[in-house]
Amino acid sequence: MTTHAAASAALEATELCSDQRRVHPSLAQHVSPMRLGLIDKDGPEHTRLRTAALSASSGGALPAFRQHAGALCAKLVGALPPQRTADLVPTLIGPLVDETIGRFLGLPQQVDAVLRAHADTLVRPMTDEAIRTEITEARRALRRHVRALPQLRPPCAGAAGSRGEARPDEWTDVLLQMYVAGRRSTADFLATLVLGVLAQDRWAEGCRTPLARRRLCDEYLRFDGPIVRGVWRFARTDTVLAKTSIRAGDIVIVSLALANRDPTAFSRPTGLDPGRTPNRHLQFGHGAHRCTGVPLVYGLADALLTTLSRQYPDASTTGDDPACRSGRNSIFRGPARVLAALGPRQPV
């Protein structure tokens, strides 16, 4: 699946399902213990859990989240050393994401600390039993907190099976998947965004308005997003998708990176266009499984670009340090370092 249209169709096709156990019962033992949340459910189960997840991070919660992100970003940027070169991954981007994602999901500090201790291990390739054991232990630790703390009980609680309800163990898996995937992918994207933006001449001028910052964010999501492949799907029945015959049980993997550079969907697809519009990139997925953390990504990116452009408009980075790309792996990708010559700090 390489074209934008084919990828969009695959991501929302009703002929495909997320859970391989529905197609291959004999493969149930091979399902990763991380594949138990929103990403890997379909139909009524997915709708019920997604409703609960969205209710936890929408409405009145979003203004408070944006205020928190802006204040934290201002604090972290204010602590950077003027006229020095700094690595913005450990000093700014990492702390910004780590101290925000728990708040976005409504997690108290002690739970956030438990998950953070497991998070880096959980995104490693599933190469041995030790990693599977680590993931299982993370789920158990989170479940203990979900059962003990009232604020971690699933939203929309009601009669068993009601729309929007999530049982405690189900909600544990949703929180774990959202925390781990959201933390790593958001940090990787923000590092890519900052590395690219600071390498441009007069970059601060392009960050003056919310619309300009949003378009810049979308273009980097399209051009070099943190997720290369969409999650896999399995065909329920024999079907044809984008003129390709697929048999029941076949696996379908969408290449988001290739779809986002489809020349039939984007003009000059291999070039970076900060003002590109429209920009129908698929980095957040499409259809029923569209990422629930979209407000988190846009909110943090906007706060980061706003604060950096105001306090350090002369900051720059060449972006050609080979170590900047050493953080890329098969699951998420992003720079390991963002070395920035900050220049003078402007008064706020």
Side-chain angles (χ1 to χ4, degrees):
M1 290 293 166
T2 60
T3 70
H4 187 276
S8 298
L11 289 172
E12 68 173 349
T14 57
E15 296 85 359
L16 308 180
C17 71
S18 301
D19 192 343
Q20 69 190 67
R21 289 169 292 187
R22 296 189 184 184
V23 181
H24 299 291
S26 64
L27 296 180
Q29 61 180 319
H30 301 296
V31 177
S32 159
M34 270 294 289
R35 299 191 67 242
L36 295 165
L38 283 171
I39 294 175
D40 310 295
K41 294 184 182 295
D42 294 290
E45 286 184 319
H46 175 266
T47 301
R48 176 168 52 83
L49 293 175
R50 184 177 177 84
T51 299
L54 289 174
S55 70
S57 58
S58 61
L62 288 179
F65 162 70
R66 293 191 184 101
Q67 182 178 12
H68 162 80
L72 177 58
C73 199
K75 175 184 175 182
L76 293 169
V77 171
L80 295 174
Q83 306 288 5
R84 300 278 296 277
T85 295
D87 182 355
L88 300 185
V89 171
T91 59
L92 174 58
I93 295 168
L96 178 64
V97 174
D98 282 346
E99 294 181 32
T100 300
I101 191 167
R103 177 180 290 262
F104 180 78
L105 295 177
L107 304 178
Q109 289 184 348
Q110 63 266 41
V111 178
D112 190 22
V114 168
L115 291 183
R116 198 180 303 180
H118 291 282
D120 289 331
T121 296
L122 300 183
V123 296
R124 289 160 53 195
M126 191 74 60
T127 54
D128 56 44
E129 190 61 31
I131 297 177
R132 294 179 63 89
T133 300
E134 179 78 9
I135 293 173
T136 300
E137 176 53 35
R139 290 179 60 220
R140 289 172 178 165
L142 182 56
R143 280 181 173 175
R144 288 194 292 269
H145 285 289
V146 169
R147 289 168 177 152
L149 299 174
Q151 63 266 48
L152 283 185
R153 291 173 188 169
C156 305
S162 65
R163 179 180 176 86
E165 178 195 359
R167 296 186 295 276
D169 285 351
E170 287 183 317
W171 190 236
T172 296
D173 295 327
V174 170
L175 287 174
L176 182 61
Q177 199 172 64
M178 291 175 68
Y179 184 94
V180 173
R183 175 181 179 269
R184 184 69 267 160
S185 62
T186 301
D188 282 340
F189 168 65
L190 293 179
T192 297
L193 175 68
V194 173
L195 183 68
V197 169
L198 295 189
Q200 300 174 17
D201 293 333
R202 303 169 68 111
W203 64 271
E205 295 182 8
C207 298
R208 288 180 176 174
T209 68
L211 179 59
R213 295 191 294 271
R214 176 63 174 265
R215 287 178 176 172
L216 194 61
C217 184
D218 277 324
E219 180 63 352
Y220 273 96
L221 284 165
R222 180 200 71 84
F223 183 74
D224 197 11
I227 302 174
V228 180
R229 296 173 295 148
V231 294
W232 48 84
R233 297 287 186 265
F234 299 86
R236 289 191 176 101
T237 61
D238 292 346
T239 188
V240 175
L241 187 61
K243 299 181 180 180
T244 300
S245 297
I246 300 172
R247 293 178 299 177
D250 281 353
I251 187 171
V252 176
I253 302 177
V254 175
S255 172
L256 298 179
L258 288 175
N260 283 336
R261 296 195 180 195
D262 179 4
T264 66
F266 303 98
S267 62
R268 297 185 298 106
T270 59
L272 186 71
D273 180 1
R276 186 184 298 275
T277 182
N279 191 340
R280 298 181 298 111
H281 65 81
L282 297 175
Q283 186 61 209
F284 292 126
H286 185 67
H289 284 273
R290 179 173 165 83
C291 177
T292 56
V294 172
L296 171 72
V297 176
Y298 283 135
L300 290 181
D302 189 78
L304 193 56
L305 293 177
T306 299
T307 309
L308 272 176
S309 63
R310 288 176 179 172
Q311 294 197 33
Y312 287 103
D314 297 322
S316 64
T317 179
T318 61
D320 57 3
D321 179 359
C324 287
R325 300 297 172 182
S326 64
R328 295 178 180 268
N329 58 46
S330 61
I331 301 177
F332 304 111
R333 61 177 189 173
R337 301 194 305 185
V338 178
L339 297 178
L342 294 171
R345 179 163 55 212
Q346 302 299 314
V348 179

